[in-house]
Amino acid sequence: MPLTHATHCPVAHPVLDDAGLAGRRRNRPPRPEGLSYSFTLPGEPHCAATARTAVRSALYAHGLAPYTDLAELAATELMGTAVKLTPGRELYLSLRYRTGALRLVLWDQHPRHTNPDDVSVCAERRRGALWLLAAMVGDCGGEWGTAEAEPPQRGVKSWAVLPAPRCGR
């Protein structure tokens, strides 16, 4: 049974046709390239479990189950570090699959330091807290990092890019 998209906008019909959505079947699973999720979580320790569950569900739904162990660990490490450094403040987690790699990005609301020494000490503490993430991503040929978030975001952006799984299995 074809899935039809109801719209009142005459411009949307050609767009849906071009995207191949006009005749899409309901039982067709989402494609890996369609993995694009973002959500906000409270900055509380128990939310790492929520992030793991969401990441696992999204990966399975998009046929990317081989990434699950690594992605859950990355989400846990990113969340745990942010909660320690910005307790009680909302966290924003983004999960994307593009060009054969899974990208997890976490924005926290860490306040900007005015003293350059504080900036350096805080950045070093964050990198040190992410030692497990660094080791895991390095072993798999991925990349990770942290940086001050660029406007309109605020706080710190931390990320991990996981290439096609070749380790951890």
Side-chain angles (χ1 to χ4, degrees):
M1 168 183 298
L3 175 65
T4 58
H5 294 276
T7 180
H8 294 290
C9 177
V11 176
H13 289 289
V15 171
L16 292 173
D17 289 341
D18 289 346
L21 296 175
R24 187 172 161 189
R25 297 190 180 273
R26 290 184 183 170
N27 61 352
R28 183 176 166 197
R31 296 172 301 125
E33 297 78 21
L35 182 98
S36 180
Y37 294 90
S38 300
F39 47 98
T40 303
L41 296 159
E44 302 293 336
H46 69 276
C47 290
T50 303
R52 283 191 301 274
T53 300
V55 166
R56 181 183 326 111
S57 295
L59 292 173
Y60 274 94
H62 287 269
L64 295 167
Y67 282 98
T68 303
D69 293 341
L70 299 173
E72 284 183 334
L73 179 59
T76 300
E77 292 299 306
L78 292 170
M79 291 282 302
T81 299
V83 166
K84 287 178 191 171
L85 295 171
T86 56
R89 296 188 181 187
E90 286 186 338
L91 304 172
Y92 177 82
L93 182 64
S94 169
L95 179 68
R96 305 273 187 272
Y97 181 80
R98 300 288 183 272
T99 61
L102 183 67
R103 291 164 170 76
L104 290 96
V105 181
L106 184 103
W107 286 271
D108 63 41
Q109 296 183 47
H110 191 278
R112 181 183 295 242
H113 294 287
T114 55
N115 180 331
D117 291 337
D118 292 342
V119 172
S120 179
V121 168
C122 193
E124 186 58 37
R125 284 186 180 156
R126 186 179 295 264
R127 281 191 298 275
L130 290 169
W131 69 268
L132 183 57
L133 177 72
M136 182 255 325
V137 171
D139 284 350
C140 295
E143 62 183 69
W144 73 281
T146 65
E148 188 169 326
E150 296 179 15
Q153 303 295 331
R154 64 176 188 254
V156 174
K157 174 176 82 169
S158 304
W159 67 90
V161 179
L162 306 174
R166 59 182 170 85
C167 62
R169 286 264 174 219

